[in-house]
Amino acid sequence: RDDFSWTAYHNLDRIYGWLDHILETYPQETSAFVIGKSFEGREIRGLKISYKPNNPGIFVESNIHAREWITSATATYLIKALLTSNDTNVQNIARNFDWYIIPVVNVDGFVYSHQHVCLELLEVTIQFQEYKINVPIFQNRMWRKTRQPHSSLCIGADPNRNFDSYWMANGGASSQPCSETYGGPKPFSEPETLALANFYRSISRKVTLYLAFHSYGQYILFPYGHTNKEAPKNLRDLTTVADDAAKAIRNLYGTRYTVGTVAGTLYIASGGGSDWAYNEGGARLAYTFEFRDKGNTGFLLPARQIIPNAEETLDGIVAMLKSAKNLAYF
Ligand code: 0X9
Ligand code: ZN
């Protein structure tokens, strides 16, 4: 537990062990919550950080896509920074908000993606001689979806297409169970998204900012995902706040983020978590971060980039909150 670091990626057991360690070390400021269980029966755990009562809430959803390991690494770094940073900007955002952080939402998919080097016995016949050789397959490492079977052939739905907000609208999700963007047989068919939604509803009155951590591409995205033809009411503010965050990110190491709506900047995506939270009420500011990089290593971002990615993200969030305060969101 003490050798938990941000120079390597960790599996679910280690992340949960570290959360326990944090809870023991900071009993005043932290509390644990469990939003529910995954399809395979794992607990989906979160950490609340609260220095004083009645702070506005910030909700952080991370690793809803299994292979996006940088997101839980960044979420745990954020937790650590909020509790231990010497930087007064970080101390201020720790003290003046209630943080609800779920490092790994898609626990089943995440565990599966960690079983990534499996040796498969391959039988080959070369000139009447039979050989058996071990071939490493890396297939699981790139898993994205949940692990609930939805057809005899294919497993999982895309949890970020499974929320009950314009579900399946405008071709922003697939109805094919084998697709990587399968929306599921109905909204909230996945226990993970249903648990997240129920928990979010229980605190939504207090939440002003919803953050969804994804990778990759270096984007700060906001509603809507399901359409390009309609803009959210506070489009100007959403843009200003994201622009300020992108500037702060670029200031630290020069990393360039692109800002815009999901549908306008990326592609039409319906039933996403941050859009759902925005439409549900509560969070008037809702963003999807797509972390490093821009495709060079993609989902396999080297572990030595965890700390720089997390540091610039932290600066981005500090700037975001400053900007939102200027616009009277808090
Ligand atoms: O397609 C997605 O779900 C996200 N990109 S990723 O490469 N991480 O899969 C973008 C999601 C943004 N969509 C909404 N917020 N609607
Ligand atoms: Zn993602």
Side-chain angles (χ1 to χ4, degrees), residues 64-65 68 144 160 213-216 290 299:
I64 203 165
H65 286 144
E68 297 166 11
R144 167 182 171 93
N160 212 35
F213 287 176
H214 285 260
S215 72
Y216 57 91
E290 296 280 354
F299 301 114

Tab-separated table of all heavy atoms in Angstrom, residues 64-65 68 144 160 213-216 290 299, ligand 2:
chain	number	residue	atom	x	y	z
A	64	ILE	N	-14.731	4.471	-16.981
A	64	ILE	CA	-15.974	3.800	-17.405
A	64	ILE	C	-15.673	2.959	-18.639
A	64	ILE	O	-16.359	1.989	-18.930
A	64	ILE	CB	-17.103	4.831	-17.647
A	64	ILE	CG1	-18.471	4.161	-17.533
A	64	ILE	CG2	-16.941	5.548	-18.987
A	64	ILE	CD1	-19.625	5.117	-17.395
A	65	HIS	N	-14.633	3.340	-19.364
A	65	HIS	CA	-14.090	2.495	-20.442
A	65	HIS	C	-12.873	1.756	-19.897
A	65	HIS	O	-11.939	2.368	-19.378
A	65	HIS	CB	-13.707	3.347	-21.660
A	65	HIS	CG	-14.896	3.819	-22.430
A	65	HIS	ND1	-14.969	5.048	-23.037
A	65	HIS	CD2	-16.082	3.180	-22.699
A	65	HIS	CE1	-16.162	5.159	-23.644
A	65	HIS	NE2	-16.836	4.043	-23.452
A	68	GLU	N	-8.930	2.479	-20.634
A	68	GLU	CA	-8.414	3.841	-20.473
A	68	GLU	C	-7.772	3.998	-19.089
A	68	GLU	O	-8.237	4.752	-18.229
A	68	GLU	CB	-9.544	4.843	-20.748
A	68	GLU	CG	-10.025	4.708	-22.199
A	68	GLU	CD	-11.345	5.407	-22.509
A	68	GLU	OE1	-11.826	6.190	-21.674
A	68	GLU	OE2	-11.896	5.155	-23.603
A	144	ARG	N	-13.051	-2.455	-23.890
A	144	ARG	CA	-13.692	-1.154	-23.649
A	144	ARG	C	-14.981	-1.262	-22.831
A	144	ARG	O	-15.235	-0.467	-21.940
A	144	ARG	CB	-14.020	-0.531	-25.020
A	144	ARG	CG	-14.948	0.675	-25.013
A	144	ARG	CD	-15.194	1.117	-26.447
A	144	ARG	NE	-16.232	2.126	-26.593
A	144	ARG	CZ	-16.003	3.444	-26.617
A	144	ARG	NH1	-14.784	3.902	-26.444
A	144	ARG	NH2	-16.994	4.286	-26.796
A	160	ASN	N	-20.773	4.100	-21.880
A	160	ASN	CA	-20.931	5.520	-22.214
A	160	ASN	C	-21.910	5.745	-23.370
A	160	ASN	O	-21.947	6.819	-23.962
A	160	ASN	CB	-19.571	6.142	-22.532
A	160	ASN	CG	-19.499	7.606	-22.123
A	160	ASN	OD1	-20.094	8.003	-21.111
A	160	ASN	ND2	-18.794	8.416	-22.904
A	213	PHE	N	-13.740	11.226	-16.957
A	213	PHE	CA	-12.361	11.058	-17.431
A	213	PHE	C	-12.279	9.938	-18.469
A	213	PHE	O	-12.657	8.792	-18.201
A	213	PHE	CB	-11.428	10.711	-16.254
A	213	PHE	CG	-11.123	11.857	-15.328
A	213	PHE	CD1	-10.364	11.630	-14.177
A	213	PHE	CD2	-11.558	13.160	-15.586
A	213	PHE	CE1	-10.058	12.672	-13.303
A	213	PHE	CE2	-11.257	14.208	-14.720
A	213	PHE	CZ	-10.501	13.960	-13.568
A	214	HIS	N	-11.777	10.307	-19.645
A	214	HIS	CA	-11.587	9.337	-20.731
A	214	HIS	C	-10.211	9.534	-21.348
A	214	HIS	O	-9.495	10.482	-21.030
A	214	HIS	CB	-12.646	9.541	-21.823
A	214	HIS	CG	-14.001	9.047	-21.445
A	214	HIS	ND1	-14.499	7.839	-21.862
A	214	HIS	CD2	-14.968	9.601	-20.662
A	214	HIS	CE1	-15.713	7.662	-21.365
A	214	HIS	NE2	-16.029	8.725	-20.633
A	215	SER	N	-9.856	8.636	-22.246
A	215	SER	CA	-8.689	8.841	-23.097
A	215	SER	C	-9.004	8.186	-24.436
A	215	SER	O	-9.824	7.271	-24.499
A	215	SER	CB	-7.431	8.237	-22.483
A	215	SER	OG	-7.454	6.828	-22.535
A	216	TYR	N	-8.428	8.598	-25.544
A	216	TYR	CA	-7.380	9.597	-25.592
A	216	TYR	C	-7.757	10.669	-26.614
A	216	TYR	O	-8.845	10.588	-27.204
A	216	TYR	CB	-6.050	8.931	-26.033
A	216	TYR	CG	-6.140	8.225	-27.369
A	216	TYR	CD1	-5.836	8.904	-28.556
A	216	TYR	CD2	-6.547	6.889	-27.468
A	216	TYR	CE1	-5.928	8.276	-29.782
A	216	TYR	CE2	-6.650	6.262	-28.707
A	216	TYR	CZ	-6.336	6.952	-29.845
A	216	TYR	OH	-6.457	6.323	-31.064
A	290	GLU	N	-10.729	14.055	-22.469
A	290	GLU	CA	-10.014	12.981	-23.165
A	290	GLU	C	-8.537	13.280	-22.947
A	290	GLU	O	-8.003	14.243	-23.494
A	290	GLU	CB	-10.335	12.970	-24.663
A	290	GLU	CG	-11.788	12.669	-25.010
A	290	GLU	CD	-12.146	11.191	-24.961
A	290	GLU	OE1	-11.253	10.347	-24.763
A	290	GLU	OE2	-13.337	10.884	-25.120
A	299	PHE	N	-4.398	4.353	-26.199
A	299	PHE	CA	-4.829	3.788	-24.911
A	299	PHE	C	-3.657	3.209	-24.119
A	299	PHE	O	-3.787	2.936	-22.935
A	299	PHE	CB	-5.878	2.706	-25.143
A	299	PHE	CG	-7.096	3.212	-25.857
A	299	PHE	CD1	-7.412	2.781	-27.139
A	299	PHE	CD2	-7.925	4.154	-25.264
A	299	PHE	CE1	-8.528	3.259	-27.809
A	299	PHE	CE2	-9.049	4.646	-25.917
A	299	PHE	CZ	-9.346	4.198	-27.194
B	2	ZN	ZN	-13.604	6.524	-23.077
